[in-house]
Amino acid sequence: MTVHTESVVRRTAAGRAGLDYDDSAIEGPLQGYHHETYVIPLPPSSDPGAQPRRGKVREPRPGLFWYDRRCFRSEELLLRALQGRVRRIPEIIEADEAGLQVFIEGRTLGQGVLPSGPLSPRHRRQLSELFGELAAVKTDEIDIERICSPKDRPADGDSAGFLVSLIAFTQERVYREHGAPYHGLFGRLGVSDAALERLKSRARGLGSRPFVLVHGDLHRANFIVDLRGDLWTIDWELAMIGDPLYDLATHLHLMRYEDEEREEICGIWEAAVEAARPDATSGWRRDLPVLLAYKRAQSVYTDVIRGALVLEEPAGGPNRHLLRGVAEQVHQALAAAQPLFGEQAAPTPGQVMDAYEEWFGSRPAVTASAS
């Protein structure tokens, strides 16, 4: 995204920092799908030994479509409510009604010498603490406005209803509504929403687990390793109240652990959640494959659409310099979810490239309005 010096969000950041809007002390925009984000210096603390701090100013990108259902209206209000309950999350300072997040200095877990390597013992311990703290939060005490509809708020313990509602969001909002212009592309890739109908049937057989607060997006880019080496959790905008197993499934799907570490992480989650909320891990081994199947299917629908948006050229696309990389990512998503979509093998990267080229050549240009 090209950001000009006249960016409204940048001027807002400068105003909060008390700087001219083009001052070099403002860092950004930071990379991210959902927001235009800047980092600004904060006023010095009254504590003479305190280190300088920075804050984040951000706004949603115009016309953005969210591929995941959101629950809470304000991430900052949620973080404020979690202060003292969940360790190593961004602090909120008083700046307006919702507050301002303090920027966590460090690097994401996806950066460094081994960006996709195993978690260190220290970070495993801190991940365990996070799982336990989330399970221990009393959800009836989270008094924050929710923007999901009442029908998307199943009763406590209705794990089946929780997953069915998420599948329905992907089917109705992502595939049928937002994905309507791309149905020709989906068809060339052998994808329809029949897999989601089958998933709903499997989801209805889930066991019951008491609901907890779930982060909803625990992957490497949402973990920050600070300057002392501690693991912090950021980006709580997809947090919701629901089945605790959803966080484990999402985490495993996005982290892509090797088999041995994956099993160890499952054990860490089970011990931490069960200690914090008895019976919250009931039947998890039986039900985990169903939630993982949903996460794999969800990736197919979102990656296919996002790929088309990435490739879109002003003249109608596709951008052939990016085509192979997009095709490889979509192929990987299709291969991971292949059992859900039928008995035929997933399209090869070359076949995915052909599908995009054929689709772009067969339809009017689509204006990219989401990322």
Side-chain angles (χ1 to χ4, degrees):
M1 173 181 171
T2 301
V3 177
H4 303 285
T5 56
E6 291 297 325
S7 164
V8 173
V9 185
R10 183 179 176 89
R11 291 203 301 272
T12 300
R16 287 193 177 185
L19 302 167
D20 293 335
Y21 72 84
D22 61 347
D23 194 283
S24 60
I26 301 173
E27 179 183 344
L30 304 186
Q31 184 176 5
Y33 279 123
H34 296 122
H35 297 89
E36 183 183 340
T37 305
Y38 296 87
V39 179
I40 63 173
L42 295 176
S45 170
S46 57
D47 181 353
Q51 296 295 317
R53 299 191 303 173
R54 298 191 293 169
K56 288 198 300 187
V57 174
R58 63 182 186 170
E59 292 292 337
R61 299 192 189 280
L64 185 76
F65 177 82
W66 292 72
Y67 294 87
D68 295 88
R69 192 180 69 200
R70 297 174 64 201
C71 178
F72 298 107
R73 179 171 297 280
S74 167
E75 179 189 15
E76 283 72 28
L77 289 176
L78 176 62
L79 287 169
R80 183 181 287 165
L82 295 180
Q83 300 298 316
R85 301 181 182 186
V86 179
R87 284 171 283 188
R88 294 182 297 278
I89 61 175
E91 179 186 350
I92 302 297
I93 61 173
E94 301 302 326
D96 51 32
E97 183 177 341
L100 181 69
Q101 287 190 44
V102 172
F103 182 71
I104 308 301
E105 305 287 351
R107 60 173 177 82
T108 69
L109 195 60
Q111 295 175 316
V113 178
L114 296 172
S116 59
L119 296 185
S120 68
R122 179 180 188 175
H123 292 162
R124 291 187 188 192
R125 184 182 72 253
Q126 293 177 341
L127 178 63
S128 173
E129 292 171 352
L130 174 66
F131 285 142
E133 289 165 349
L134 287 173
V137 172
K138 295 181 178 180
T139 56
D140 58 354
E141 295 180 357
I142 304 177
D143 187 20
I144 301 170
E145 183 182 1
R146 295 170 68 179
I147 57 177
C148 51
S149 66
K151 71 179 180 64
D152 292 328
R153 305 177 199 174
D156 184 21
D158 183 7
S159 300
F162 172 76
L163 183 55
V164 167
S165 70
L166 292 176
I167 296 171
F169 179 90
T170 299
Q171 182 178 38
E172 296 164 11
R173 297 280 288 116
V174 178
Y175 177 76
R176 292 181 179 171
E177 296 180 25
H178 183 64
Y182 311 96
H183 282 183
L185 175 58
F186 279 117
R188 287 175 170 82
L189 295 170
V191 174
S192 71
D193 63 346
L196 295 174
E197 285 296 331
R198 292 191 289 270
L199 269 177
K200 285 181 184 177
S201 297
R202 294 176 63 186
R204 292 186 180 101
L206 293 186
S208 175
R209 282 170 290 275
F211 283 4
V212 303
L213 177 69
V214 298
H215 177 280
D217 202 22
L218 292 174
H219 58 80
R220 293 183 186 273
N222 285 343
F223 289 116
I224 301 295
V225 180
D226 72 8
L227 303 181
R228 299 176 56 183
D230 287 325
L231 196 67
W232 292 65
T233 309
I234 64 169
D235 285 358
W236 290 77
E237 287 203 313
L238 300 184
M240 55 188 155
I241 294 170
D243 185 353
L245 190 56
Y246 183 75
D247 254 348
L248 177 63
T250 301
H251 183 67
L252 294 177
H253 174 69
L254 296 174
M255 294 289 284
R256 307 190 186 283
Y257 293 115
E258 297 294 333
D259 289 347
E260 183 177 352
E261 186 173 19
R262 169 194 167 106
E263 187 60 29
E264 291 174 357
I265 296 299
C266 286
I268 286 171
W269 174 87
E270 180 181 27
V273 173
E274 189 65 25
R277 184 69 59 88
D279 296 327
T281 65
S282 176
W284 75 271
R285 286 194 180 274
R286 177 197 67 228
D287 292 346
L288 179 61
V290 184
L291 279 86
L292 284 172
Y294 166 63
K295 297 306 297 184
R296 294 183 187 117
Q298 182 189 35
S299 289
V300 168
Y301 297 104
T302 58
D303 286 357
V304 168
I305 297 173
R306 282 176 171 167
L309 293 171
V310 167
L311 294 173
E312 184 78 32
E313 289 279 318
N319 183 324
R320 288 179 172 78
H321 295 292
L322 302 176
L323 182 57
R324 183 167 296 277
V326 167
E328 181 61 39
Q329 182 175 347
V330 171
H331 161 74
Q332 290 176 3
L334 286 164
Q338 183 274 330
L340 298 168
F341 291 99
E343 297 180 357
Q344 292 185 336
T348 65
Q351 290 171 328
V352 175
M353 290 175 66
D354 290 343
Y356 273 102
E357 293 213 68
E358 291 172 5
W359 177 74
F360 271 107
S362 68
R363 54 94 171 136
V366 175
T367 301
S369 61
S371 55

